[in-house]
Amino acid sequence: MPKIVFLCKNGASQTIEAENNWSIMQIAVEHNIEGIEGACGGSMACATCHIYVHPEWLRKVEAQDNEQSEEEKDILDTAYDVRRTSRLGCQIKLNETLDSLVVALPGTDTDW
Ligand code: FES
């Protein structure tokens, strides 16, 4: 099972072993990660699954059939504190190639 590391606003991090082919939003909601709601259930209508992908992972994520669509960009425009690696967590599915992926929650201070 691939692991995913969530960096939180309070400086803590949480590593979770995830089911293959689950989205980052599904994993976060299942494990009560604060700051990710997934209010629309993954239909790209809410932006409550907004996360920042660590820059070192951005291309690897996209290469796993997780490219960003124009519709996703439009929804992200409504999100809080959007940055250059912002994505909707519901649009990124994990697999073994993405084992140890690092993402941060909205508003988290990062040096990237
Ligand atoms: S869960 Fe609503 S946009 Fe991702």
Side-chain angles (χ1 to χ4, degrees), residues 1-2 18-24 26-27 64-66 90 92-96:
M1 296 203 305
E19 297 291 332
N20 264 317
N21 292 316
W22 277 36
S23 72
I24 292 175
Q26 288 173 304
I27 295 160
Q64 296 300 307
D65 207 18
N66 290 312
C90 65
I92 299 174
K93 289 195 173 168
L94 285 199
N95 60 34
E96 291 298 340

Side-chain angles (χ1 to χ4, degrees), residues 9-109:
K9 267 173 89 168
N10 64 5
S13 68
Q14 199 166 345
T15 301
I16 291 171
E17 287 201 13
E19 297 291 332
N20 264 317
N21 292 316
W22 277 36
S23 72
I24 292 175
M25 179 275 285
Q26 288 173 304
I27 295 160
V29 169
E30 179 75 13
H31 292 87
N32 299 312
I33 299 291
E34 195 176 330
I36 299 189
E37 290 180 35
C40 75
S43 58
M44 272 202 288
C46 72
T48 63
C49 60
H50 175 208
I51 47 95
Y52 312 125
V53 176
H54 190 289
E56 289 179 8
W57 283 96
L58 203 52
R59 288 189 181 199
K60 292 179 205 167
V61 163
E62 290 172 348
Q64 296 300 307
D65 207 18
N66 290 312
E67 297 88 2
Q68 190 175 45
S69 66
E70 289 302 317
E71 188 180 359
E72 180 181 345
K73 287 179 191 170
D74 289 345
I75 299 298
L76 268 173
D77 281 345
T78 68
Y80 160 76
D81 194 8
V82 175
R83 301 179 191 172
R84 67 186 176 92
T85 68
S86 285
R87 291 292 309 267
L88 293 178
C90 65
Q91 299 304 303
I92 299 174
K93 289 195 173 168
L94 285 199
N95 60 34
E96 291 298 340
T97 304
L98 298 177
D99 183 38
S100 301
L101 171 65
V102 178
V103 302
L105 299 175
T108 300
D109 284 333

